[in-house]
Amino acid sequence: MSEDKLIRMANQIAAFFEVQPGDRAAPIAAHINENWSPPMRAGLLSHVASGGEGLNPLVLEAAAAIRPAPAA
């Protein structure tokens, strides 16, 4: 999946949770962990590691709780 699409999808998730009360980063990470495939999570985390350009700050905050893809 393209990096642009991963960014757009992650930002859409963040947009939903940023209007919710309480902790917002944890539910973003939980949603991504539960619904994204390991390659998608790996692509997002790679983008975060390279600076995270274009990502909502809540996605960057949530990144610490996103599970990396399992080692092969």
Side-chain angles (χ1 to χ4, degrees):
M1 181 169 295
S2 78
E3 191 171 83
D4 288 340
K5 187 165 185 179
L6 291 173
I7 293 167
R8 186 173 67 249
M9 290 171 61
N11 285 342
Q12 287 173 334
I13 295 165
F16 173 80
F17 285 106
E18 73 185 349
V19 298
Q20 304 299 317
D23 180 18
R24 297 166 302 173
I28 292 168
H31 179 87
I32 290 172
N33 285 330
E34 292 169 11
N35 296 289
W36 286 28
S37 68
M40 291 170 66
R41 293 192 315 266
L44 178 63
L45 292 174
S46 174
H47 182 69
V48 168
S50 69
E53 183 177 344
L55 285 170
N56 182 305
L58 284 173
V59 177
L60 297 173
E61 185 180 341
I66 295 173
R67 288 191 311 266

